[in-house]
Amino acid sequence: MPFFIYVTDVFCPWCFGFAPVMQKLVARHGFPVRVLCGNLVDEPADTSTMGTPRLRAFFRRLSDTTGRTLGEGFFRLLEEGRGVTMDSSRSALLMAALKKLAPGHAMEQMEAFQEAFYKDGLDVLSPADQAKVAARWGVEEKDLEAMLSSDRAKEAAARDMAEAEEILGDFVVYPTLFVKTDDGELHAVARGYAPFEEVEDKIEAALSCGASLSEASANACGMDGSCCR
């Protein structure tokens, strides 16, 4: 059975906007989803540094493009003195811990924390806010704290980030969505935000790639560098 590999990041605004597209794709195809955490914020940064007029205008345009409105809670985090830390290595650790404590919900968990940040303006790296979101899967704060400090979660997070880096190669864009077909080929069907219809066309082309290479998307490439054109 084909499956999706979704490379995303808690702190990626385009990923927040892409969530409804992902939900529709999964509902349409019923494919399993492997979620890999990227490294968008590779050095800790404060949200208040994004409070410039240019970046505020970007966030407004992003909402118009994706149809998902960033919340006023998020915009408050852009104000001087109200910022919180962004750090993708720590958010990847959080996602790895949740995969251990509440397996089978990786996409929902990623989307929940993206929404908590970009809509509600929560500090998703604070233990209290992490516990608040994680509680919806029955995860208790003490268990989450213990897992976050465990070697199991740290090693899993490192593996996920390394795999994400390898699979993205030189074209590091979030979100990136691949479909791995039954022939073992990996096809890129979204590089950055794209509307549902565009991604769906590329998925259908990837699924038929083995039968007719000429029908597949130019962006549907295997790990060996071969592409369906």
Side-chain angles (χ1 to χ4, degrees):
M1 180 180 185
F3 63 89
F4 290 123
I5 298 178
Y6 184 37
V7 186
T8 180
D9 191 294
V10 167
F11 296 109
C12 167
W14 288 112
C15 301
F16 168 78
F18 192 64
V21 177
M22 272 301 301
Q23 292 162 10
K24 288 178 69 175
L25 292 170
V26 172
R28 169 72 64 87
H29 295 282
F31 296 163
V33 184
R34 286 195 62 221
V35 176
L36 296 176
C37 296
N39 195 23
L40 177 65
V41 187
D42 57 358
E43 296 288 342
D46 192 282
T47 55
S48 63
T49 62
M50 300 190 297
T52 64
R54 180 179 65 83
L55 285 175
R56 285 177 179 271
F58 159 73
F59 288 125
R60 300 291 184 189
R61 289 196 304 273
L62 183 144
S63 293
D64 292 341
T65 299
T66 66
R68 288 205 83 190
T69 302
L70 280 70
E72 290 306 314
F74 169 72
F75 283 103
R76 284 194 291 271
L77 297 181
L78 307 185
E79 298 172 9
E80 187 173 353
R82 304 189 68 170
V84 299
T85 299
M86 301 178 293
D87 183 344
S88 292
S89 63
R90 290 174 61 190
S91 61
L93 175 60
L94 170 64
M95 293 295 107
L98 286 173
K99 285 181 183 180
K100 301 292 186 185
L101 293 168
H105 304 281
M107 191 178 88
E108 301 165 49
Q109 290 158 353
M110 175 62 74
E111 291 175 349
F113 276 92
Q114 288 168 348
E115 183 165 309
F117 183 68
Y118 278 108
K119 185 176 180 181
D120 302 328
L122 297 185
D123 179 359
V124 295
L125 297 183
S126 78
D129 285 346
Q130 288 177 344
K132 184 185 303 183
V133 178
R136 69 185 66 180
W137 294 283
V139 175
E140 296 188 7
E141 185 171 1
K142 61 181 178 60
D143 295 327
L144 180 58
E145 181 181 357
M147 186 59 74
L148 286 169
S149 63
S150 71
D151 289 339
R152 289 176 61 205
K154 292 174 183 176
E155 290 167 1
R159 285 195 303 270
D160 279 1
M161 295 182 77
E163 185 177 355
E165 181 179 3
E166 179 180 4
I167 201 173
L168 289 175
D170 294 331
F171 195 2
V172 180
V173 179
Y174 305 105
T176 291
L177 180 64
F178 300 91
V179 60
K180 190 165 188 176
T181 48
D182 289 335
D183 59 4
E185 290 295 316
L186 196 65
H187 307 266
V189 294
R191 295 277 198 178
Y193 175 83
F196 171 79
E197 293 77 12
E198 180 180 321
V199 183
E200 177 63 12
D201 285 347
K202 291 184 178 181
I203 291 171
E204 293 300 330
L207 294 175
S208 63
C209 182
S212 177
L213 297 180
S214 64
E215 294 177 2
S217 165
N219 290 324
C221 300
M223 290 297 287
D224 61 355
S226 61
C227 297
C228 299
R229 297 185 184 278

